[in-house]
Amino acid sequence: MPSVREVSAVSVAWDDIGGLVDAHERFLAGARVDTDVRGSVLESWKRCRFEGVQPHRLLVPYAADLALDDRLLRAADPVLKDLTTSLANVNMAIAFSDARARMIQRHGGDRQLRERLDAVNFAPGFDASEQAAGTNGVGTALAGRGPIYVVGREHFADCLQPFACAGAPIRDPFSGRIEAVLDLTCLREDGDPAMLRLVRQAARDIEGRLLEQATEREQALLAAYRRACRDMGGAVGWPRQPQGVGNGFPDGGTLSRIDMSVLREKAEELLASPQRTLDEVALSGGRVATLLRRQVMGAAGESGVAVEARVHGGPHLRHVELSAPSEPAPFTAPTGITPPVPTAFTPSAPAAFTPPAPTAFIPPVGAGDASAAPPVLLRAVTPAPAATATATVPPPTETAPPPPAPTEAGPQPRADEDENENGTGAEGWLLLVGEPGVGRLAVLARKRLELLHDASVRIGTTLDVTRTAEELAEVTVPRFADLAVVDLPDSVLLGEEPGPLGGHTPLRRVALGSVREELPVYGIGDLVQYVPSTPQVRCLETGQSVLEPVLSEAEGWIAQDPARFGRALTEGIHSLITVPLRARGTILGVVSFYRSEKPTPFEDDDLSLAQELAGRAAISIDNARRFTREHNTALALQRSLLPRGRPEQNAVEVAYRYLPAQAGVGGDWFDVIPLSGARVALVVGDVVGHGLHAAATMGRLRTAVHNFCSLDLPPDDLLTHLDDLVGRLDRGEGWAVEPTYPDAGIVGATCLYVVYDPVSRRCTLTRAGHPVPAVVGPDGGVDFVDLPSGPPLGLGGTPFETVELELAEGSQLVLYTDGLIEDRVRDIDTGLDKLRSVLACPGRAPEDTCEAVLDALLPTRPSDDVALLVARTHALGPKRVAEWEFPSDPAVVARAREAVIGQMSAWGLGELGYTTELVASELVTNAIRHATGPVQLRLLRDRALICEVSDGSSTSPRLRRARNEDEGGRGLFLVAQLTERWGTRYTTDGKIIWTEQSLEQPLS
């Protein structure tokens, strides 16, 4: 069986409920769907998107010979058997998976359901985690650490849409760790939310059976502890006088610093837990340590707790005496046992045991010598008065039988406890002494440090303001609070600098995390305007955090919305901390932490932790805000530099799309530039990189192309001039930035330049390192133009080559940038093949072509900019073109005038006849007088009336103002006054002088 199996998308033959199909597509496109999708499902979708799950294709890992712990199977088998029996008449499958969402067992369901589940790899051995299968009952219950019901389109993967499922995690009753996941799955039409209650109850039944087994485990731990004590000569729980000297184990065994760190952490937790007496810790080298928690009390009434450690298995640990070796510590045990006195505790009174500062850690010999590893004080408080202490053994309990009654001579081991599993004895040592209350604070302090560490890693992973606020809520719920909400002004979301915040400022709720799905609080996206009496307004106006340990007494908070917040109190919310989000001296918003499920209200230490969490989040939010501002600025600059609307021309019908990359705006651009003679230029270019520099460079190059087009340069000459310009810019010539600016040069730029003539239907193309264009014929045939690449712009020294094509009317030219056809997971050949298949559709409009291409080729989150330009060609037919050729003889000027008058009458443009006659006469006369060869006269009726006169000379006429005494020089000036535009373009055989006259408002 393969290790990974692929699951492809399946079609859905039913209507979706609630428009989830549309919501799912909008979510994949990056739109907000908070109001359309349940919160738990939306959070799962976000996790799936972050993990890169593809809805249309799953790669599901498979592992053979999976098994669960026997203890868990013994607890689950009877429950699963009863559940299968109760569902015998219901077409429903029961899935039992391990703590990594890998399915171990599957029961029930008819043959059709089982076959459909096998088809999507929802079967034993396969991985059902969210990372592999997307949103589903098993993976989402595990990721969300709670029961979940998922139906139809709520599944992230397309292939799971036909099903409904309900899953619930199964936890170890003592550790709280998730051991397995139980799931019920059926066809969507058979789904019922009551499945959630059923699977939750079954999971609780399994947890209850685990709890019954845990009592036996406690007894086993106690028996292990008694076996570890079999070789002791002193009182139970205290080491005897060692025989011999040396550090660590006589046979070379030692406890590493990692082992000691683990022991200390477990001892702190045991000291802080009044309901627990024993714990077992796995150490390196195959050793196992048993920890015992004992109550100790001094003669003056001082009370505390001692935690002993016993190591058995592996090398024999011999503990070096804690008291002075020259004089053994005396014992006083009228009612219990007095241990040897640790000199590290009371150096002034070696014969008495005085509880130290409430929590102290004593490292064993072997973790380092005495000078290198002295006792560590975990919590410093005022020590109790020196007095002789008597350690008493706690009374027996029903769940954990006590060790044998000790005597001063030590316990009497049974015959069957002479040796442990490895045949070696084990000695114990005092590991921790302290007060349970102080120990609880130490454990809380460590958990707070762990929370701060996680916050530093998980908050600020993106430069998105909303996502950063969501990460703050995700980190703090449920480890610190049961409900966390983040409110920001709209100005921060837009990247702007926020003004003074207070009761008059409306805030937007951008993030909400809760242990319960429904609570009577404002939802995400709501606009909240707090009243002046609320802790939130006090927090914003003073810049100080506010702690409300008893919310039922906080009248200012309730005044915000008595009905809503009164209902919140009845549902268990009891305490609040609100903290300003301050960064670089500016308050960006406010975060509020609530507790409802946790019985203990917030304390002063919690206030400090909340301030630290909010401070770290505020820095990340401010960084995201600044990035948003820069991104918006760059986007505005780029949009201002890109074409606005379609230019007026009849040569081609165009449609275009520009999509910036997720990483930011870039340097892709396109252009449609009308040229003389009814021609049009199509340009697509790409500047490598993103940000303001790429956008500014793009603007400069686009402006340069427009300027070169106004000179009517041939395509290869135009790219040569552009290449020279880019080279000079790359060398820093003309830049208004410091030479040390890291982006002062252009990393690279490519360009494709196309000129189309609707009269001849000829298309001239040239490119500089750009992807080849596609030509779609009227019949739907697709060809990629075999166009020499040419080097990217800026390298210089290599001429550019051109290719000429004759296009049938109605053909489509498709120009694009490389972001459309290649990315990190797809090479350029694959992209071109896919583009060819999409374009092969006859008779499609350019707008429809753009949509089809982007839908088929563009990924959900493009890593590069994409510019796409589609142009469908038109032809200027013979009825709109008139052309004559005259010899170089002044006598033909009259014939030219007559020809023009006749053609203007034929076109119904008699009102333009006189002006056009005069213009043509002047141009023909100049050509005959100053040029060589035959003269050609051409009239084009397009959006404007175009008059062109060509000759065999490359000398361009120059417009000048004639003086009163000059006999000539007024003809070209007269032409410029009578027409809207005029100019010169060069050909391989000479030049063409052209003019344009408006057909709407003819000049008189």
Side-chain angles (χ1 to χ4, degrees), residues 682-716:
L682 307 174
V683 192
V684 170
D686 183 4
V687 176
V688 177
H690 296 90
L692 283 173
H693 173 66
T697 302
M698 176 270 291
R700 302 183 75 170
L701 296 185
R702 179 170 176 257
T703 301
V705 171
H706 272 266
N707 292 335
F708 294 145
C709 283
S710 67
L711 300 177
D712 260 325
L713 297 176
D716 52 345

Side-chain angles (χ1 to χ4, degrees), residues 710-790:
S710 67
L711 300 177
D712 260 325
L713 297 176
D716 52 345
D717 287 350
L718 185 144
L719 282 192
T720 300
H721 284 77
L722 193 63
D723 176 66
D724 179 65
L725 172 65
V726 172
R728 287 189 286 112
L729 294 179
D730 230 354
R731 294 189 295 270
E733 300 176 19
W735 283 95
V737 295
E738 294 295 330
T740 56
Y741 182 66
D743 287 335
I746 301 174
V747 178
T750 64
C751 184
L752 172 63
Y753 185 75
V754 179
V755 175
Y756 173 70
D757 186 346
V759 178
S760 64
R761 292 187 285 105
R762 302 289 295 178
C763 181
T764 307
L765 309 93
T766 185
R767 64 176 177 142
H770 202 82
V772 295
V775 177
V776 185
D779 59 351
V782 180
D783 293 311
F784 289 102
V785 182
D786 187 12
L787 181 62
S789 173

Side-chain angles (χ1 to χ4, degrees), residues 80-89 94:
L80 295 179
K81 182 178 180 181
D82 293 343
L83 187 59
T84 304
T85 303
S86 65
L87 298 176
N89 298 325
I94 305 168

Side-chain angles (χ1 to χ4, degrees), residues 536-753:
Q536 285 81 2
V537 171
R538 287 156 45 203
C539 173
L540 292 172
E541 291 181 346
T542 64
Q544 303 296 321
S545 303
V546 178
L547 168 63
E548 293 285 358
V550 184
L551 272 180
S552 59
E553 301 176 0
E555 297 181 358
W557 176 77
I558 299 174
Q560 172 68 28
D561 191 334
R564 183 193 300 266
F565 289 177
R567 192 164 68 255
L569 292 175
T570 61
E571 295 193 15
I573 294 181
H574 55 75
S575 60
L576 161 70
I577 289 179
T578 180
V579 186
L581 293 169
R582 179 196 296 271
R584 301 178 178 93
T586 302
I587 296 180
L588 305 173
V590 64
V591 56
S592 302
F593 303 105
Y594 296 87
R595 279 188 178 174
S596 60
E597 304 294 326
K598 295 177 176 61
T600 57
F602 285 118
E603 305 171 351
D604 289 338
D605 287 344
D606 295 318
L607 184 62
S608 301
L609 176 60
Q611 292 171 342
E612 182 69 22
L613 291 169
R616 299 190 180 194
I619 294 296
S620 298
I621 290 175
D622 191 53
N623 290 338
R625 178 191 65 82
R626 290 167 177 256
F627 172 80
T628 301
R629 180 182 60 191
E630 294 183 4
H631 177 79
N632 292 342
T633 302
L635 191 59
L637 172 62
Q638 187 182 48
R639 286 174 176 170
S640 68
L641 296 174
L642 287 172
R644 297 184 180 181
R646 297 174 174 86
E648 294 184 357
Q649 50 82 34
N650 288 335
V652 292
E653 176 188 352
V654 297
Y656 52 82
R657 297 289 188 275
Y658 172 77
L659 287 88
Q662 293 293 331
V665 297
D668 290 16
W669 91 92
F670 62 91
D671 235 323
V672 179
I673 307 173
L675 301 177
S676 63
R679 300 171 303 139
V680 66
L682 307 174
V683 192
V684 170
D686 183 4
V687 176
V688 177
H690 296 90
L692 283 173
H693 173 66
T697 302
M698 176 270 291
R700 302 183 75 170
L701 296 185
R702 179 170 176 257
T703 301
V705 171
H706 272 266
N707 292 335
F708 294 145
C709 283
S710 67
L711 300 177
D712 260 325
L713 297 176
D716 52 345
D717 287 350
L718 185 144
L719 282 192
T720 300
H721 284 77
L722 193 63
D723 176 66
D724 179 65
L725 172 65
V726 172
R728 287 189 286 112
L729 294 179
D730 230 354
R731 294 189 295 270
E733 300 176 19
W735 283 95
V737 295
E738 294 295 330
T740 56
Y741 182 66
D743 287 335
I746 301 174
V747 178
T750 64
C751 184
L752 172 63
Y753 185 75

Side-chain angles (χ1 to χ4, degrees), residues 692-1000:
L692 283 173
H693 173 66
T697 302
M698 176 270 291
R700 302 183 75 170
L701 296 185
R702 179 170 176 257
T703 301
V705 171
H706 272 266
N707 292 335
F708 294 145
C709 283
S710 67
L711 300 177
D712 260 325
L713 297 176
D716 52 345
D717 287 350
L718 185 144
L719 282 192
T720 300
H721 284 77
L722 193 63
D723 176 66
D724 179 65
L725 172 65
V726 172
R728 287 189 286 112
L729 294 179
D730 230 354
R731 294 189 295 270
E733 300 176 19
W735 283 95
V737 295
E738 294 295 330
T740 56
Y741 182 66
D743 287 335
I746 301 174
V747 178
T750 64
C751 184
L752 172 63
Y753 185 75
V754 179
V755 175
Y756 173 70
D757 186 346
V759 178
S760 64
R761 292 187 285 105
R762 302 289 295 178
C763 181
T764 307
L765 309 93
T766 185
R767 64 176 177 142
H770 202 82
V772 295
V775 177
V776 185
D779 59 351
V782 180
D783 293 311
F784 289 102
V785 182
D786 187 12
L787 181 62
S789 173
L793 298 174
L795 298 183
T798 304
F800 297 96
E801 300 183 45
T802 61
V803 170
E804 279 200 10
L805 304 173
E806 184 173 339
L807 302 180
E809 185 175 6
S811 300
Q812 289 191 3
L813 282 164
V814 181
L815 289 69
Y816 50 87
T817 54
D818 58 357
L820 180 70
I821 57 173
E822 65 176 334
D823 54 32
R824 289 173 292 183
V825 297
R826 180 179 62 194
D827 59 31
I828 189 170
D829 293 332
T830 303
L832 289 175
D833 291 340
K834 195 167 185 179
L835 178 61
R836 182 193 298 272
S837 64
V838 175
L839 293 176
C841 180
R844 189 161 51 190
E847 286 289 344
D848 297 334
T849 300
C850 285
E851 291 296 331
V853 169
L854 294 184
D855 290 343
L857 277 81
L858 198 63
T860 304
R861 297 174 63 86
S863 58
D864 194 9
D865 290 22
V866 174
L868 174 64
L869 179 63
V870 179
R872 181 162 61 184
T873 62
H874 297 303
L876 203 60
K879 293 183 179 181
R880 303 175 68 180
V881 179
E883 189 172 4
W884 304 272
E885 183 171 339
F886 303 104
S888 182
D889 184 355
V892 302
V893 175
R895 291 167 49 191
R897 290 178 177 176
E898 292 175 0
V900 169
I901 291 295
Q903 187 62 51
M904 297 303 292
S905 299
W907 281 345
L909 299 176
E911 67 276 8
L912 290 177
Y914 176 76
T915 305
T916 308
E917 175 192 4
L918 183 57
V919 170
S921 174
E922 290 293 337
L923 295 180
V924 171
T925 300
N926 283 342
I928 293 173
R929 178 178 298 178
H930 301 291
T932 61
V935 176
Q936 290 183 340
L937 171 63
R938 186 170 74 164
L939 296 179
L940 305 177
R941 183 180 179 182
D942 193 41
R943 286 181 177 268
L945 179 63
I946 302 171
C947 178
E948 296 181 342
V949 175
S950 60
D951 56 55
S953 173
S954 60
T955 302
S956 175
R958 182 170 60 90
L959 180 66
R960 64 186 180 90
R961 184 178 295 275
R963 293 173 295 184
N964 293 336
E965 62 270 18
D966 290 343
E967 295 183 1
R970 296 175 177 82
L972 197 58
F973 177 78
L974 184 62
V975 169
Q977 296 299 312
L978 295 176
T979 60
E980 286 192 344
R981 298 172 61 220
W982 76 279
T984 305
R985 71 173 181 269
Y986 294 91
T987 66
T988 56
D989 301 325
K991 68 176 181 298
I992 297 174
I993 308 297
W994 56 269
T995 65
E996 288 186 4
Q997 296 171 260
S998 174
L999 294 177
E1000 297 179 357

Side-chain angles (χ1 to χ4, degrees), residues 222-247:
L222 183 58
Y225 182 79
R226 292 170 62 185
R227 286 196 303 272
C229 295
R230 64 173 177 37
D231 199 28
M232 294 184 53
V236 173
W238 298 95
R240 66 176 181 176
Q241 179 75 11
Q243 302 297 324
V245 294
N247 289 337

